[in-house]
Amino acid sequence: MKEQNNNGTSSQVPTPTLRRLPGYLSYFKALKINGIKRVSSSQVASTFKMDATLVTKDLSYTGIKGRTKVGYDVDQLIDTIIDFLEFDTKENAFLFGVGNLGRALINYDGLRQYGLEIIAGFDVDPGIINASIKNIKIHSLDAFRDLSRKHSARIAIITTPDHAAQDVADLAVAWGIKAIWNFTPQSIKVPEHVIVENTSIYSDLAVILNKLNN
Amino acid sequence: MKEQNNNGTSSQVPTPTLRRLPGYLSYFKALKINGIKRVSSSQVASTFKMDATLVTKDLSYTGIKGRTKVGYDVDQLIDTIIDFLEFDTKENAFLFGVGNLGRALINYDGLRQYGLEIIAGFDVDPGIINASIKNIKIHSLDAFRDLSRKHSARIAIITTPDHAAQDVADLAVAWGIKAIWNFTPQSIKVPEHVIVENTSIYSDLAVILNKLNN
DNA sequence: TTGCATTAACGAAAAATATCTTTATTGCAT
DNA sequence: ATGCAATAAAGATATTTTTCGTTAATGCAA
């Protein structure tokens, strides 16, 4: 949970900050495409409807320095955030469950662009096993053991039906997966040292509906 | 931003609570399937690796009452949370951008199950226009104006390529959309009264990578 | 060069969220 | 019945996160 900052000292990055940084990054990339070289915290703040000092606080975690009266250098922001979030270091992942969502993730170039490389897919449906999507081969679950020896990946993406999530997670953990990215709404039990990150669109849906009806 | 609770008084539900409730719900549904009738806050807490009192606080927002020494009634939990999150009232949505992700969302039964009905898709690709996915017809963007008159929807789901997000949002807002569910990493500018909820898997990815490397 | 306006940075305060403590209830074993 | 243990609920405290206020830097105009 500790982040090594540019002073060599240890400090924690707040999760909310971590979650906002990719949004900033996308915005900065768009600025760059439009030929804009500098941006101020207040511009960012108004774009994201937030407080300007929060923007500077967030950015300061990455070690980037803004210049008074000038703002931040867009190119530098992009490089710094990518580096800070480690979107530039390739990280391999296995994907379990090649249904609609799994397929979409495999097809989605965004993940690769941000460092996550899905190197193999796994499913139980004989109709998909041995097929390839975007040059990524789909294997039977049984093949996982062998494949996890040949190719190494630290991340398992779970996009199976809900009921299969725990079994797949157990399998992945048994074979040394370090982090599980769980796209099912199912809660998953893992040993202490394994990281689980849940992505639930239902949470977002709940927030939308709540805002809509109040 | 106000939530009408069972006392008839007004109170705000913390967003973190709102975001956790769907996870609980999924867990309670699984318990029900396994024939489990009651559950205690400490059980929930250990499942989700959190503090038990936080669970009780979260659940108390929904108005549900637990019984000392017994816990909560699973059936009642499910009904109450569904009602509280308004997952039982149908809400129509238009979906813009029928690429991999858009297609996955249309195919995904989960959304419908939780109240969100995608009633039409829109795209610019002549190859998809007039096609149907799961009985949901895909229209050209130009058709939106007419369709939004015939069918009403308060929510616009944006799954277009990044660069198109703002234009589509503008179009949706012009035709009276109340909330935008933005799946692109692009930040979107809308008038004050329009709700925007961003779903960014990059935020989750950032959190995973950060945990992995620390 | 001087002063003004803009802006990042830093520390303090406030607000929001989570945890801890206490209390009261009640099922269950004795 | 009685006491014990488990549990929800409510309030107090602690922690985290955001916002506010101040300071210092500096580009730019006069």
Side-chain angles (χ1 to χ4, degrees):
Chain A
M1 288 299 210
K2 298 286 175 173
E3 170 65 24
Q4 207 68 14
N5 67 19
N6 56 337
N7 305 321
T9 60
S10 245
S11 74
Q12 277 221 42
V13 191
T15 306
T17 295
L18 228 35
R19 299 189 64 84
R20 281 188 295 265
L21 284 170
Y24 299 153
L25 176 59
S26 165
Y27 172 60
F28 298 145
K29 282 183 171 176
L31 291 181
K32 182 176 178 150
I33 287 170
N34 291 319
I36 294 163
K37 296 266 185 275
R38 289 190 298 264
V39 66
S40 71
S41 63
S42 54
Q43 283 174 272
V44 180
S46 88
T47 300
F48 290 93
K49 291 191 181 130
M50 54 191 292
D51 196 283
T53 54
L54 184 51
V55 174
T56 64
K57 284 245 164 76
D58 283 344
L59 295 179
S60 75
Y61 282 105
T62 69
I64 202 172
K65 297 287 175 197
R67 286 177 57 212
T68 300
K69 182 75 184 172
V70 174
Y72 298 88
D73 181 85
V74 171
D75 282 341
Q76 204 180 320
L77 279 168
I78 293 170
D79 293 346
T80 308
I81 295 174
I82 287 177
D83 180 60
F84 182 78
L85 296 178
E86 304 177 78
F87 283 168
D88 53 353
T89 37
K90 203 204 280 178
E91 186 72 44
N92 289 337
F94 292 125
L95 183 141
F96 295 88
V98 190
N100 293 311
L101 179 57
R103 217 180 290 265
L105 289 179
I106 291 174
N107 276 301
Y108 193 38
D109 290 321
L111 289 178
R112 184 173 308 107
Q113 222 170 292
Y114 284 179
L116 194 76
E117 186 89 36
I118 299 173
I119 58 172
F122 298 90
D123 208 295
V124 292
D125 177 5
I128 329 174
I129 291 167
N130 291 324
S132 283
I133 303 173
K134 280 229 167 182
N135 282 321
I136 291 150
K137 195 158 178 200
I138 313 305
H139 305 269
S140 83
L141 255 191
D142 309 323
F144 177 54
R145 200 169 59 174
D146 294 336
L147 247 112
S148 63
R149 257 194 283 242
K150 268 194 292 189
H151 306 285
S152 87
R154 297 200 294 170
I155 297 176
I157 299 172
I158 300 186
T159 47
T160 62
D162 299 359
H163 64 84
Q166 183 65 61
D167 287 347
V168 164
D170 291 343
L171 189 67
V173 168
W175 283 92
I177 282 291
K178 298 283 183 295
I180 290 174
W181 193 355
N182 176 28
F183 281 82
T184 78
Q186 204 68 20
S187 72
I188 285 176
K189 280 201 172 64
V190 294
E192 202 57 52
H193 65 278
V194 177
I195 295 157
V196 176
E197 180 72 16
N198 298 299
T199 292
S200 160
I201 63 172
Y202 299 123
S203 293
D204 295 311
L205 181 58
V207 174
I208 292 178
L209 294 179
N210 183 263
K211 285 183 183 166
L212 256 178
N213 298 313
N214 286 299
Chain B
M1 291 301 209
K2 299 286 175 176
E3 170 66 24
Q4 207 69 13
N5 67 18
N6 57 336
N7 305 322
T9 59
S10 246
S11 74
Q12 277 221 41
V13 191
T15 305
T17 295
L18 228 36
R19 298 189 65 84
R20 281 187 295 265
L21 284 170
Y24 300 152
L25 176 58
S26 164
Y27 172 60
F28 298 145
K29 282 182 171 176
L31 291 182
K32 182 177 177 150
I33 287 169
N34 290 319
I36 295 164
K37 296 264 183 277
R38 289 191 297 265
V39 65
S40 71
S41 63
S42 53
Q43 283 174 271
V44 181
S46 89
T47 300
F48 289 94
K49 291 190 181 131
M50 55 191 291
D51 194 284
T53 53
L54 184 52
V55 174
T56 63
K57 283 246 165 77
D58 283 345
L59 295 179
S60 75
Y61 282 105
T62 69
I64 201 172
K65 297 286 175 200
R67 286 176 59 212
T68 298
K69 184 74 184 171
V70 174
Y72 297 89
D73 180 85
V74 171
D75 282 342
Q76 203 181 322
L77 279 168
I78 293 170
D79 293 347
T80 307
I81 295 175
I82 287 177
D83 180 59
F84 183 77
L85 296 177
E86 306 178 78
F87 282 167
D88 52 352
T89 37
K90 204 206 279 177
E91 186 72 44
N92 289 337
F94 292 126
L95 183 142
F96 296 88
V98 190
N100 292 310
L101 179 56
R103 217 180 289 264
L105 290 179
I106 291 174
N107 276 301
Y108 193 37
D109 290 320
L111 288 178
R112 184 173 308 106
Q113 222 170 292
Y114 284 181
L116 195 77
E117 185 89 36
I118 298 173
I119 58 171
F122 298 90
D123 207 297
V124 292
D125 176 5
I128 329 174
I129 291 166
N130 290 324
S132 282
I133 303 173
K134 280 230 168 183
N135 282 323
I136 291 151
K137 193 155 178 202
I138 313 304
H139 306 269
S140 82
L141 255 191
D142 309 322
F144 177 56
R145 197 168 59 173
D146 293 336
L147 246 111
S148 62
R149 256 193 284 243
K150 268 194 291 189
H151 306 285
S152 88
R154 297 201 294 170
I155 298 177
I157 300 172
I158 301 186
T159 46
T160 62
D162 299 359
H163 64 83
Q166 183 66 60
D167 287 347
V168 164
D170 291 343
L171 189 67
V173 168
W175 284 94
I177 282 289
K178 297 282 184 291
I180 290 174
W181 193 354
N182 176 28
F183 281 82
T184 79
Q186 204 68 21
S187 72
I188 285 176
K189 281 201 172 65
V190 296
E192 202 58 51
H193 64 278
V194 178
I195 296 157
V196 176
E197 181 71 17
N198 297 299
T199 292
S200 161
I201 63 172
Y202 298 124
S203 293
D204 296 311
L205 180 57
V207 173
I208 292 178
L209 294 178
N210 182 264
K211 285 182 183 167
L212 257 178
N213 298 310
N214 285 299

